[in-house]
């Protein structure tokens, strides 16, 4: 601290304190009485410019303004969504309804009666619920501790997503099918991405759906948050990439030996926005709101939406959404996109697709206001000095016929006071034909001298290896070299030669390596790799097992972990590693044991990928009863005698090593758990143990009506990824060396802890 700063502090300490002043509160205001909390003044939920702007634009129906403003000042209710991806979604719903929701009946917290959570009327199959409890009350109230712990634990297991209600709308309107190729352009933090993954896996009997999700975000750090969210769903059909959405590179895939451009069946375009629809949870917006935010974001939003439309397949559907109520970020972007598409895009009428959802039609007339309150109704009125701040695309089309043909009223505006939600905007676009600057159809083109010269100068193949610049200059667009053309350059041919060994390294761009972490390569296991036959024999893998889809993240030394991707994502990886920065893809299916060779197989099964792998395993499967499941999940290393006779008879003749423990529901006993469970285990000398992460254990036990004691939970929460930190607790899932010798367990491998999912580095 400098001399002057010390002097100022001394003067402040010597000044007399006002009457009634408490520690941390200046000016005499008491924290409790004057709205002080933690030493900071409470934000006043007023913004005159905000009210003036939206009253002038008439976005709220006549006579509802007061309700609209009152709703914005209320805290946002907590909402949760049960993931429909896993087959036991119904069991979770049953558990919520009959146990946790019943405990909330007639409960009062801080003098406020707790309303029992209600299903969102417009969300299918009662899989989304809302309550009048705010997140703050849920976290701090002792009466709600059990309910809060349930939510936290199930969220970590990927069975519940604590997601804002309006945020659930865009994925529903995409109408995703399991065979769809999907691009999520601005995906972090990932709640919508997880919805898309669930929709791909609607049929749990199909381990590898034909479709996939490529989830992108421009922020490298947020990409790792996205990975964490996606990992909870254990899907082989998700890839996380790190690019600027407005210039996300066009990808190619191999189709019957031909290179073709990858066009997506569905594109989710949830763009960065000013966020004035989130005032109920982000109260900083109240004091920071200004029209300048929207004016600055409009250009970026339009570029992202345009890039999404370019990458959309004909007949495909794109959803554009913001959490802003401002027409400059909403209808203005859609109108400009429709105008420049020249009929290639049209707004879909989705008014009947979510029955029960209350919404307002999109506006067709609006004005632009500057930061200092000056209004402009037409581009012609904007002075030249304002042209850098205000652009012609921000205004509605002048031609009434053109405006009517756009059907902007088909956009959906969600207002906070209608169903006690945040504010939101959604538009659903359908692609009827190629964009005007991309009229040529996908084809493989031979290399002419003209093309060679052009491609050697193109950004995708320049000598410095800079990232693909996919925003083509106007002069290039008119030549017909649009998104549809793919040409082979010397550099690309060299890359293809390198990829024959199945190594997909990070892109060679020097610029991109300056930002974020350097990723390990993705190395597919060669067909003749001696590593695979022992695995295939030990687990009696089905001949249909897609061994070509196995990959690892190292080119040198022992392969510690094996991952699995779908064949479609393998195709994408092999053909695009030089032009995209992949952060993560694949699910872990096998882990190496240090002493694995003495157990006939060096690799044990990983719980993360067991539901994908199980359909291909024909050996080492032990069918267990519900009582066995309880025993295995509550005891660290139960001996055979503690399990049922049926389980013992199956296990006694098996060699030591990794096993699959399968519970099949008994339809004749409706009180028993009615969803199948597949667990990874280890058959030791005289015992069996499970390798299941702590939160997943708690989940299965809850589904069977068991509640782990609070003390045990607290101990469990203190667990670390260090395999010897708390060897006495079953949640740890790893054997201590002494225990391993006694039970015939594998030694723990560094970086292969079943309790800890792959964490961002």
């Amino acid at each position: 601290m400098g001399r002057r700063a010390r002097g100022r502090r001394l003067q402040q300490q010597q000044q007399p304190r006002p009457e009634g002043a408490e520690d941390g509160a200046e000016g005499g205001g008491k924290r409790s009485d004057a709205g002080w909390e933690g030493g900071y003044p409470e934000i006043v939920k007023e913004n005159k410019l905000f009210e003036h702007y939206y009253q002038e634009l008439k976005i709220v129906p006549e006579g509802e303004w007061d309700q609209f403003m009152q709703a914005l000042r209320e805290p946002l209710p907590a909402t949760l969504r049960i993931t429909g991806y896993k087959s036991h979604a119904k069991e979770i719903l049953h558990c919520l309804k009959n146990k946790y929701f019943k405990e909330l009946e007639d409960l009062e917290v801080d003098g406020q009666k707790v309303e029992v959570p209600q299903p969102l009327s417009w969300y299918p199959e009662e899989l989304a619920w809302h309550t009048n409890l705010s997140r703050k009350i849920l976290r701090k109230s002792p009466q709600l501790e059990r309910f809060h712990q349930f939510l936290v634990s199930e969220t970590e297991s990927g069975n519940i997503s604590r997601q804002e209600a309006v945020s659930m709308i865009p994925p529903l309107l995409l109408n995703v099918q399991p065979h769809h190729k999907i691009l999520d352009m601005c995906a972090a933090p990932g709640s919508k991405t997880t919805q898309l993954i669930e929709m791909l896996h609607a049929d749990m009997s199909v381990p590898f759906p034909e479709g996939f999700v490529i989830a992108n975000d421009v922020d490298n750090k947020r990409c790792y948050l996205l990975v964490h969210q996606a990992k909870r769903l254990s899907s082989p059909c998700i890839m996380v990439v790190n690019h600027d959405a407005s210039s996300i590179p066009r990808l190619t895939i191999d189709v019957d030996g031909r290179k073709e451009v990858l066009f997506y069946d569905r594109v989710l375009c949830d763009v960065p926005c000013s966020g004035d629809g989130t005032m109920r949870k982000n109260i900083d917006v109240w004091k920071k709101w200004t029209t300048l935010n929207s004016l600055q974001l409009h250009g970026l939003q339009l570029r992202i939406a345009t890039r999404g439309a370019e990458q959309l397949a004909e007949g495909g559907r794109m959803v554009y959404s913001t959490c802003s109520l401002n027409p400059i970020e909403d209808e203005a972007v859609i109108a400009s996109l429709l105008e420049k598409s020249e009929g290639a895009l049209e707004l879909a009428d989705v008014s009947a697709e979510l029955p029960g959802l209350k919404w307002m039609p999109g506006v067709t007339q609006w004005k632009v206001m500057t930061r200092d309150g000056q209004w402009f109704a037409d581009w012609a009125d904007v002075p030249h000095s304002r042209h850098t701040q205000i652009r012609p695309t921000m205004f509605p089309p002048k031609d009434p016929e053109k405006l009517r043909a756009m059907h902007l009223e088909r956009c959906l505006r969600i207002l906070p006071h209608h169903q006690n939600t945040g504010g939101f905007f959604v538009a659903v676009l359908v692609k009827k034909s190629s964009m005007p600057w991309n009229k040529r159809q996908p084809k493989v083109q031979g290399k002419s001298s003209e093309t060679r010269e052009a491609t050697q100068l193109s950004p995708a193949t320049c000598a410095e290896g800079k990232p693909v610049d996919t925003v083509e200059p106007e002069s290039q667009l008119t030549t017909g070299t649009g998104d549809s053309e793919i040409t082979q350059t010397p550099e690309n041919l060299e890359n293809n030669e390198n990829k024959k060994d199945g190594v997909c390294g990070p892109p060679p761009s020097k610029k991109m390596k300056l930002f974020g972490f350097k990723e390990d390569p993705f190395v597919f296991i060669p067909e003749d790799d001696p590593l695979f036959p022992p695995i295939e024999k030990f687990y009696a893998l089905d001949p249909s097992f897609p061994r070509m889809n196995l990959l690892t993240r190292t080119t040198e030394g022992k392969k510690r972990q094996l991952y699995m991707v779908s064949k479609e994502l393998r195709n994408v990886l092999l053909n695009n590693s030089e032009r995209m920065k992949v952060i993560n893809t694949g699910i872990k299916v096998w882990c190496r044991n240090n002493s694995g060779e003495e157990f006939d197989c060096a690799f044990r099964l990983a719980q993360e990928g067991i539901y994908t792998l199980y359909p291909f395993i024909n050996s080492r499967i032990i069918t267990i009863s519900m009582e066995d499941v309880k025993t295995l999940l509550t005891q660290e290393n139960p001996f055979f005698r503690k399990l049922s006779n049926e389980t013992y008879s199956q296990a006694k003749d098996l060699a030591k090593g990794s096993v699959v423990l399968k519970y099949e529901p008994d339809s004749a006993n409706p009180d028993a758990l009615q969803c199948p469970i597949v667990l990874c285990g280890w058959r030791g000398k005289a015992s069996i143990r499970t390798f299941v992460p702590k939160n997943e254990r708690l989940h299965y036990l809850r589904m069977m009506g068991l509640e782990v004691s609070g003390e045990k939970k607290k101990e469990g929460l203190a667990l670390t990824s260090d395999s010897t930190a708390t060897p006495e607790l079953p949640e740890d899932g790893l054997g201590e060396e002494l225990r391993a010798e006694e039970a015939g367990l594998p030694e723990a491998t560094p970086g292969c802890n079943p309790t800890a999912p792959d964490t961002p580095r």
Side-chain angles (χ1 to χ4, degrees):
M1 186 183 290
R3 182 166 50 84
R4 290 180 181 176
R6 282 197 298 270
R8 281 196 299 270
R9 173 167 286 187
L10 190 61
Q11 282 180 353
Q12 289 171 358
Q13 288 172 351
Q14 290 172 349
Q15 285 175 357
R17 287 167 58 83
E19 267 186 56
E22 294 184 3
D23 290 339
E26 296 175 14
K30 290 189 178 182
R31 290 182 191 171
S32 55
D33 298 336
W36 293 81
E37 190 175 317
Y40 293 96
E42 186 177 333
I43 291 175
V44 178
K45 296 179 180 178
E46 295 284 347
N47 189 309
K48 295 300 180 189
L49 191 65
F50 172 88
E51 295 191 44
H52 169 65
Y53 182 69
Y54 283 123
Q55 279 180 317
E56 184 72 23
L57 291 182
K58 297 182 171 57
I59 64 158
V60 178
E62 196 75 32
E64 296 183 17
W65 182 259
D66 289 342
Q67 297 102 292
F68 169 74
M69 290 303 298
Q70 181 60 35
L72 280 178
R73 293 186 179 105
E74 297 285 333
L76 192 69
T79 49
L80 60 92
R81 180 174 57 80
I82 300 165
T83 61
Y85 161 46
K86 294 186 177 174
S87 57
H88 39 252
K90 287 182 180 176
E91 291 293 329
I92 299 171
L93 181 58
H94 181 267
C95 183
L96 270 172
K97 279 182 170 180
N98 294 288
K99 185 176 182 183
Y100 292 97
F101 289 170
K102 282 193 174 180
E103 291 177 3
L104 301 181
E105 291 176 4
D106 305 320
L107 191 64
E108 281 195 15
V109 176
D110 296 339
Q112 179 188 2
K113 189 177 186 308
V114 174
E115 292 177 14
V116 176
Q118 298 296 318
L120 295 175
S121 58
W122 45 267
Y123 202 94
E125 300 180 40
E126 289 193 338
L127 290 178
W129 293 71
H130 70 101
T131 170
N132 67 335
L133 297 167
S134 68
R135 287 189 170 218
K136 183 179 175 183
I137 292 174
L138 268 176
R139 283 196 301 266
K140 295 188 176 179
S141 170
Q143 302 103 302
L144 299 170
E145 185 183 3
R146 262 166 50 95
F147 184 48
H148 182 246
Q149 283 180 342
F150 168 80
L151 293 179
V152 170
S153 179
E154 291 299 321
T155 300
E156 280 301 312
S157 300
N159 302 308
I160 278 179
S161 176
R162 296 161 78 183
Q163 181 180 353
E164 192 179 342
V166 289
S167 169
M168 305 174 193
I169 296 171
L172 290 177
L173 291 176
L174 272 177
N175 191 22
V176 169
Q177 302 300 319
H179 63 277
H180 283 157
K181 298 181 281 290
I182 307 163
L183 173 64
D184 190 351
M185 300 190 75
C186 310
S191 55
K192 298 180 187 70
T193 310
T194 56
Q195 264 181 285
L196 298 173
I197 299 170
E198 292 163 27
M199 293 170 183
L200 283 182
H201 290 272
D203 184 356
M204 282 297 292
S205 63
V206 180
F208 294 101
E210 289 179 34
F212 57 79
V213 178
I214 293 181
N216 173 70
D217 202 86
V218 68
D219 188 315
N220 185 264
K221 289 180 182 177
R222 282 166 62 87
C223 281
Y224 291 97
L225 177 59
L226 184 54
V227 169
H228 175 69
Q229 289 273 56
K231 280 285 179 188
R232 297 188 312 202
L233 291 178
S234 302
S235 170
C237 305
I238 169 74
M239 179 189 290
V240 176
V241 298
N242 179 204
H243 287 280
D244 177 355
S246 64
S247 57
I248 191 167
R250 68 175 79 96
L251 305 182
T252 62
I253 51 174
D254 187 89
V255 180
D256 299 326
R258 303 187 320 274
K259 284 287 186 73
E260 291 189 3
V261 175
L262 171 60
F263 288 102
Y264 300 93
D265 303 298
R266 297 289 186 266
V267 174
L268 178 55
C269 205
D270 186 51
V271 296
C273 65
S274 61
D276 57 19
T278 68
M279 284 177 154
R280 301 182 68 176
K281 64 175 183 178
N282 298 325
I283 56 175
D284 273 1
V285 178
W286 282 99
K287 63 177 182 180
K288 293 179 180 177
W289 187 91
T290 165
T291 55
L292 187 61
N293 298 338
S294 298
L295 299 178
Q296 290 174 336
L297 285 165
H298 170 87
L300 174 64
Q301 292 162 339
L302 181 55
R303 291 196 301 275
I304 293 174
T306 303
R307 191 59 185 154
E310 285 177 346
Q311 303 236 7
L312 188 63
E314 289 182 30
R317 182 178 272 209
M318 180 173 97
V319 169
Y320 174 90
S321 61
T322 74
C323 45
S324 168
L325 300 171
N326 199 326
I328 307 303
E329 302 177 64
D330 300 341
E331 287 88 352
V333 173
I334 297 299
S336 179
L337 184 59
L338 290 171
E339 189 167 12
K340 69 157 108 178
S341 78
E342 297 177 9
L345 299 172
E346 72 172 36
L347 273 170
D349 182 1
V350 293
S351 55
E353 291 194 15
L354 292 179
L357 178 67
K358 292 180 182 175
W359 52 274
M360 297 296 297
V363 298
T364 55
Q365 292 298 327
W366 61 89
K367 297 183 288 184
V368 177
M369 188 177 83
T370 62
R371 187 178 189 174
D372 52 11
Q374 188 178 0
W375 289 95
F376 297 104
D378 195 287
W379 168 246
D381 302 334
V382 182
H384 189 75
S385 60
R386 298 275 192 182
H387 280 191
T388 54
Q389 187 184 78
I390 299 174
R391 303 301 302 151
T393 53
M394 296 177 180
F395 295 90
K398 280 185 179 179
D399 186 348
E401 285 299 318
K402 189 182 284 186
L403 184 60
R404 267 197 298 274
M406 286 182 179
H407 294 292
L408 291 178
E409 71 280 356
R410 290 179 177 174
C411 301
L412 308 185
R413 287 183 153 268
I414 316 294
L415 298 180
H417 63 294
H418 283 167
Q419 286 182 308
N420 197 14
T421 62
F424 210 69
F425 173 86
V426 195
V428 181
L429 296 150
V430 175
K431 192 170 184 179
K432 294 297 184 182
S433 61
S434 295
M435 301 299 274
W437 53 91
N438 294 327
K439 284 296 184 187
R440 298 179 68 168
Q441 293 302 310
K443 64 178 181 179
V444 178
Q445 183 165 305
K447 194 164 178 63
S448 66
S449 58
E450 290 178 12
T451 313
R452 189 180 301 116
E453 289 173 12
T455 53
Q456 283 174 349
L457 296 172
S458 72
T461 57
C462 63
E464 292 180 12
K466 290 185 179 176
V468 181
D469 182 3
T470 51
V471 182
E472 299 88 343
E474 205 63 40
S475 59
Q476 288 182 7
L477 295 179
T478 56
T479 64
T481 56
D483 274 0
S484 303
E485 287 192 58
I486 293 298
T487 53
Q488 291 289 337
T489 65
E491 288 86 348
N492 281 338
L493 290 171
E494 187 182 333
N495 282 330
N496 287 338
E497 290 299 318
N498 292 338
K499 283 182 293 191
K500 284 182 180 176
D501 60 3
V503 179
C504 303
S509 162
K510 295 175 185 175
K511 182 179 177 183
M512 293 181 80
K513 286 182 182 175
L514 295 176
F515 304 99
F517 301 102
K518 181 182 176 183
E519 290 299 322
D520 294 327
F522 296 85
V523 186
F524 285 95
I525 307 295
E527 279 193 70
D528 56 353
D529 195 314
L531 171 144
F532 185 72
I535 297 175
E536 186 177 36
K537 181 182 177 183
F538 190 71
Y539 297 103
L541 294 180
D542 194 86
S544 64
F545 178 74
R547 60 182 292 178
M548 295 294 289
N549 300 350
L550 280 175
L551 61 85
T552 183
R553 298 296 301 270
T554 180
T555 52
E556 299 171 356
K558 276 189 174 182
K559 298 174 178 67
R560 291 286 182 189
Q561 303 181 43
L562 301 183
Y563 300 85
M564 174 76 80
V565 293
S566 66
K567 68 175 182 182
E568 288 78 14
L569 276 187
R570 179 181 189 273
N571 193 344
V572 173
L573 264 176
L574 286 175
N575 287 287
N576 300 281
S577 62
E578 75 282 355
R579 60 166 67 89
M580 69 175 180
K581 183 176 180 182
V582 181
I583 300 296
N584 195 282
T585 190
I587 51 168
K588 185 164 59 182
V589 287
W590 278 294
C591 259
R592 181 184 287 276
N593 303 313
N594 280 350
S595 53
E597 285 77 4
E598 64 188 71
F599 300 113
D600 298 329
C601 180
F603 288 85
R604 66 170 177 81
L605 298 163
Q607 183 67 25
E608 180 184 319
I610 192 61
Y611 283 94
T612 298
L613 205 54
Y614 172 71
F616 300 100
I617 297 175
N618 293 313
S619 175
R620 305 194 63 79
I621 299 172
I622 301 174
T623 304
I624 55 178
S625 67
M626 188 163 149
E627 289 305 313
D628 289 333
V629 177
K630 292 178 184 177
T631 303
L632 288 162
L633 293 179
T634 53
Q635 298 184 30
E636 183 185 1
N637 208 32
F639 289 104
F640 289 150
R641 65 174 180 270
K642 293 188 177 181
L643 303 171
S644 65
N645 292 332
E646 292 80 3
T647 299
Y648 172 67
S649 63
Q650 296 172 72
K652 65 178 181 180
D653 297 326
L654 289 178
K656 286 184 292 185
S658 194
V659 292
V660 177
L661 303 165
K662 175 71 185 287
Y663 164 75
E664 286 287 0
D666 181 7
S667 55
N669 181 9
D671 295 331
L673 187 66
Q674 290 301 306
C675 64
I677 294 177
V678 184
L679 306 174
C680 290
W682 186 269
R683 196 273 195 211
K685 286 180 182 175
S687 63
I688 294 179
R689 77 175 300 165
T690 53
F691 284 81
V692 181
K694 176 179 66 70
N695 282 320
E696 204 165 331
R697 286 174 180 263
L698 294 177
H699 163 71
Y700 290 131
L701 291 171
R702 281 196 197 95
M703 295 306 101
M704 292 182 289
L706 292 179
E707 192 70 42
V708 180
S709 67
E711 238 176 84
K712 179 75 82 173
K713 276 186 187 173
K714 285 172 188 172
E715 286 179 38
L717 290 172
L719 285 175
T720 66
S721 59
D722 182 358
S723 62
T724 59
T726 49
E728 72 279 8
L729 288 176
E731 286 88 351
D732 192 343
L734 283 176
E736 194 184 6
E737 286 182 27
L738 290 174
R739 175 71 75 151
E741 287 175 16
E742 175 191 326
L745 288 170
E747 221 177 290
T749 302
C752 193
N753 184 351
T755 66
D758 291 348
T759 50
R761 280 162 296 177

